[in-house]
Amino acid sequence: MLLDIGFDAITVKAITQKADISRKTFYLHYSDKFDLLNAIVDKQLEELTAVCEKKREMGCTEGTVLWFRYFQQRKAFFAALFTTESTVLFRHRMLGFIVDQLNSRLEDASPGKDTEVLLNFMSRAVLGVLEAYVLGQLHAEVEEIAEQVGKLLEQIINGQGPDAQTNMVSMQKDE
């Protein structure tokens, strides 16, 4: 239903008819359709956490390719979530998930350093690229997109991004 008519058009009545359950049964498990969506998103984030555990054993670029393949396999589902007006919560939770994943990488690479701005920049950039990919706004193959994102993340995490030395010197002067 999410893929066919979009989340905004879905009603609890339509869900219960499609699932062949009573509304009473639905409300025993979920408070509303948003609660059901949260449960679905929770499941997707659990699966994504497992993918992230696998990618920890890989380099940043290879791991990012694995991560983007996960979204490639579920592209229609995530596109439906990104294009639904009512699912701002999904975008917020996805951003939080990306922040958590990148934060662990940054903490390993820069122990004791304040990385708040860098973390927010990188997380929002990854979410933006991911959203553009699942919405069909990027026309490159998933491997190419993932490799580019992975290489950029690796460079930034290792302090080797564009003008990294200039930026590090200016940041040290500011302290």
Side-chain angles (χ1 to χ4, degrees):
M1 290 177 66
L2 179 66
L3 302 180
D4 295 333
I5 63 173
F7 183 76
D8 293 327
I10 294 173
T11 63
V12 171
K13 181 178 179 180
I15 293 169
T16 57
Q17 286 175 340
K18 183 99 171 168
D20 196 25
I21 60 171
S22 71
R23 290 177 64 135
K24 188 175 184 177
T25 301
F26 176 88
Y27 286 115
L28 284 173
H29 298 279
Y30 306 103
S31 58
D32 56 22
K33 71 179 190 176
F34 296 97
D35 192 29
L36 171 61
L37 180 64
N38 276 332
I40 293 167
V41 170
D42 284 344
K43 184 178 181 322
Q44 293 297 315
L45 291 178
E46 286 175 22
E47 289 178 11
L48 196 51
T49 299
V51 169
C52 289
E53 289 302 317
K54 287 180 189 174
K55 75 179 227 161
R56 285 191 192 283
E57 302 165 6
M58 304 174 170
C60 195
T61 302
E62 296 83 13
T64 304
V65 169
L66 179 68
W67 197 70
F68 266 85
R69 282 190 185 136
Y70 174 86
F71 287 97
Q72 179 185 32
Q73 294 166 355
R74 295 154 184 82
K75 193 173 181 177
F77 171 76
F78 285 104
L81 289 180
F82 276 123
T83 57
T84 301
E85 292 177 28
S86 300
T87 56
V88 173
L89 181 60
F90 163 72
R91 197 171 199 288
H92 179 73
R93 290 189 60 204
M94 193 67 215
L95 178 62
F97 183 85
I98 294 169
V99 166
D100 290 344
Q101 294 301 313
L102 289 175
N103 190 39
S104 63
R105 290 262 189 178
L106 278 173
E107 286 176 349
D108 293 344
S110 305
K113 290 190 178 181
D114 184 6
T115 57
E116 180 182 22
V117 172
L118 186 57
L119 177 62
N120 274 280
F121 173 78
M122 290 175 16
S123 301
R124 292 174 197 288
V126 169
L127 181 62
V129 171
L130 177 63
E131 184 174 4
Y133 168 71
V134 300
L135 295 178
Q137 298 166 350
L138 295 176
H139 303 292
E141 293 296 319
V142 68
E143 286 80 10
E144 182 182 342
I145 296 166
E147 284 179 19
Q148 287 182 33
V149 170
K151 286 177 184 176
L152 286 169
L153 290 173
E154 194 167 16
Q155 288 175 347
I156 292 169
I157 288 169
N158 295 325
Q160 301 167 346
D163 297 322
Q165 290 183 349
T166 305
N167 292 338
M168 293 300 264
V169 169
S170 68
M171 285 172 31
Q172 289 173 348
K173 286 180 182 177
D174 292 342
E175 292 177 357

